[in-house]
Amino acid sequence: DLILTFRRSPNLKSFNVEVAQYKNKELRQNATAEILPKFLTFFHFQTTDQNVLSHEDLDKLVTNIPTIELLSLDMDTNDFDYANGYYWNNTLISLPNLKHIYFKIRIWLTIDNQPIHIDSILESFQQTDLPICCYTDTKILHIDTVPYNMTKFDTNMSVTTSPSAILAK
């Protein structure tokens, strides 16, 4: 439980989270500013469960931890809001100490999704000044920060890509 961890460790400076599977269907507890760590500078979140962390939840979490300098995400999701650069821009401008962000996001496509227009996704990211590449394969929209040099992070983030990456914009 993330909230419980924050309560028990208020002086965290570095935090790596990996959620393998989330089965709890109960309402999630929101963290108040008093509970969140006051000194956290490094935050890495990783999951292959598509339902763990919506972009809205990520935004609420990290924007209330303004001390974050290095943010790293390696995740599968079904939340298409991760493909919206305007949402990312709002999140990033609320992190005054942010020096580096790396992410590898795999958005699983469903029948409900509208057709994917990679050019409009890239256009929405232009204001963020994040160098990203974007590509799709048959089931997944990939959005990765580039270059893939993550030596400044001590994470378990892997850099495997789809064979469709050669078509990336």
Side-chain angles (χ1 to χ4, degrees), residues 2-160:
L2 194 57
I3 306 301
L4 184 59
T5 302
F6 288 153
R7 276 192 182 142
R8 291 184 176 170
S9 305
N11 296 320
L12 283 173
K13 289 185 178 183
S14 178
F15 194 46
N16 289 291
V17 179
E18 182 173 358
V19 178
Q21 196 170 31
Y22 182 79
K23 291 190 177 207
N24 193 351
K25 299 296 180 195
E26 296 175 20
L27 292 175
R28 298 176 189 183
Q29 178 184 0
N30 286 327
T32 62
E34 296 79 37
I35 294 174
L36 295 173
K38 306 292 186 255
F39 307 104
L40 188 68
T41 58
F42 173 89
F43 183 62
H44 173 75
F45 187 89
Q46 185 171 341
T47 187
T48 55
D49 187 320
Q50 299 170 24
N51 300 305
V52 172
L53 188 66
S54 70
H55 187 276
E56 182 180 2
D57 289 341
L58 172 72
D59 182 67
K60 287 177 186 174
L61 178 65
V62 300
T63 58
N64 287 299
I65 309 175
T67 54
I68 292 176
E69 295 178 11
L70 304 169
L71 177 63
S72 170
L73 303 169
D74 183 354
M75 58 189 296
D76 288 27
T77 184
N78 58 17
D79 184 358
F80 208 77
D81 285 350
Y82 279 101
N84 187 323
Y86 302 112
Y87 292 160
W88 276 106
N89 193 54
N90 290 336
T91 301
L92 298 177
I93 61 174
S94 66
L95 295 170
N97 294 316
L98 188 68
K99 295 177 183 166
H100 299 285
I101 179 170
Y102 296 110
F103 58 75
K104 201 175 94 165
I105 298 177
R106 296 163 302 279
I107 303 170
W108 287 77
L109 304 174
T110 63
I111 296 171
D112 301 346
N113 288 109
Q114 299 293 322
I116 306 297
H117 299 288
I118 290 179
D119 289 333
S120 64
I121 292 170
L122 291 172
E123 184 179 307
S124 75
F125 273 91
Q126 285 179 341
Q127 67 176 335
T128 65
D129 290 327
L130 284 175
I132 65 161
C133 76
C134 184
Y135 56 96
T136 61
D137 56 28
T138 56
K139 297 179 183 176
I140 303 171
L141 169 65
H142 299 261
I143 302 176
D144 306 336
T145 52
V146 290
Y148 292 117
N149 179 0
M150 298 169 194
T151 55
K152 293 183 182 184
F153 273 107
D154 183 21
T155 71
N156 295 324
M157 183 185 287
S158 62
V159 190
T160 56

